[in-house]
Amino acid sequence: MTKRTNQPVIRPQLKVQFEQINFKIDVPTLEKLRAYSEFIDSEQSYVIREALNHLFDSDSAFRVFLESRNTSSSIQRAPLETADRSNTDHRGS
């Protein structure tokens, strides 16, 4: 008989803190954002979050800047494969 550990079958949901921001965006970009959100059937805030994280992750000069700027403090973000992608915010946020 296999010994079972006391671990749940489904891992607990990751707790992700959200903060609301307000900003102005030009109309053509907003229309593309709305269209892309519809295209992937996701909330606009999710598209913005993922696009920014893609930008941050792919810009090697920015990574160097962050590392030099934050040697004593760390900026942490959940990796894409483990980030909580539940619908916790509202379309258009």
Side-chain angles (χ1 to χ4, degrees):
M1 182 180 273
T2 304
K3 183 178 178 183
R4 183 178 170 138
T5 60
N6 291 331
Q7 293 185 2
V9 173
I10 299 173
R11 293 186 310 214
Q13 179 180 0
L14 294 175
K15 305 291 191 260
V16 178
Q17 182 177 355
F18 290 95
E19 196 170 313
Q20 185 171 344
I21 62 170
N22 295 309
F23 59 92
K24 293 181 181 181
I25 189 169
D26 62 279
V27 174
T29 303
L30 178 59
E31 290 171 351
K32 288 178 186 175
L33 170 62
R34 288 176 176 153
Y36 200 86
S37 296
E38 181 182 343
F39 172 64
I40 66 169
D41 191 27
S42 295
E43 297 172 1
Q44 292 174 17
S45 59
Y46 172 79
V47 172
I48 292 168
R49 190 169 54 249
E50 291 300 306
L52 286 172
N53 285 326
H54 177 73
L55 172 67
F56 301 152
D57 292 345
S58 63
D59 189 330
S60 59
F62 181 65
R63 284 195 309 269
V64 169
F65 168 77
L66 276 182
E67 290 170 6
S68 67
R69 184 174 170 259
N70 296 303
T71 54
S72 62
S73 64
S74 63
I75 295 177
Q76 296 182 348
R77 179 176 70 79
L80 292 178
E81 59 274 0
T82 60
D84 176 19
R85 295 178 181 218
S86 64
N87 292 329
T88 56
D89 48 12
H90 301 285
R91 187 173 294 272
S93 300

